[in-house]
Amino acid sequence: MQHISFVLPLLRRLQVVSLAKNKLQGSLNSSAWHTFTSLRHLNLSYNQLTGVLQPSWSALRTNVSIDVSCNNITGPLPPGLAAVGVDGRALQLTLLNASRNSITGRDKV
């Protein structure tokens, strides 16, 4: 089984990343997501990922499709994920699939 932190530095310039069904383990709590400025599609579904979706995810650029379904993600959705990125740009998700986790709602703004 691979740990997700091992793969994160390798993803910076990629536009499409599908690591679904790879038995990845570890936390999504990394602050490294802001470095993936070219990312358009991210599929981490059907793994064993834990943690919460961090506000740094809102640093992803516009028209991003994210699938983190069927993991062990907990906590609320960060407010920036549905509003404005950390650089002040609007984040426009084309898809956010966080189903089959333990998401509790949305953080208060």
Side-chain angles (χ1 to χ4, degrees):
M1 290 190 218
Q2 295 294 321
H3 195 277
I4 189 68
S5 63
F6 171 75
V7 235
L8 288 179
L10 305 174
L11 306 179
R12 281 185 216 178
R13 295 184 184 158
L14 296 177
Q15 292 184 354
V16 177
V17 176
S18 181
L19 296 171
K21 299 181 182 178
N22 277 288
K23 299 181 184 175
L24 295 175
Q25 297 179 5
S27 176
L28 290 174
N29 295 351
S30 171
S31 61
W33 295 106
H34 73 280
T35 63
F36 306 127
T37 56
S38 299
L39 195 62
R40 296 294 173 247
H41 303 281
L42 175 63
N43 186 348
L44 296 173
S45 64
Y46 292 94
N47 283 295
Q48 298 162 8
L49 301 175
T50 60
V52 298
L53 296 175
Q54 294 293 313
S56 63
W57 282 58
S58 64
L60 296 171
R61 301 291 185 223
T62 59
N63 300 316
V64 178
S65 169
I66 300 173
D67 187 347
V68 291
S69 62
C70 303
N71 281 287
N72 298 308
I73 300 168
T74 58
L77 291 175
L81 197 57
V84 176
V86 293
D87 61 358
R89 294 186 194 184
L91 178 66
Q92 298 173 4
L93 291 175
T94 56
L95 169 78
L96 172 60
N97 185 356
S99 63
R100 301 191 70 180
N101 283 288
S102 296
I103 305 283
T104 57
R106 188 176 138 186
D107 260 347
K108 295 180 181 175
V109 178

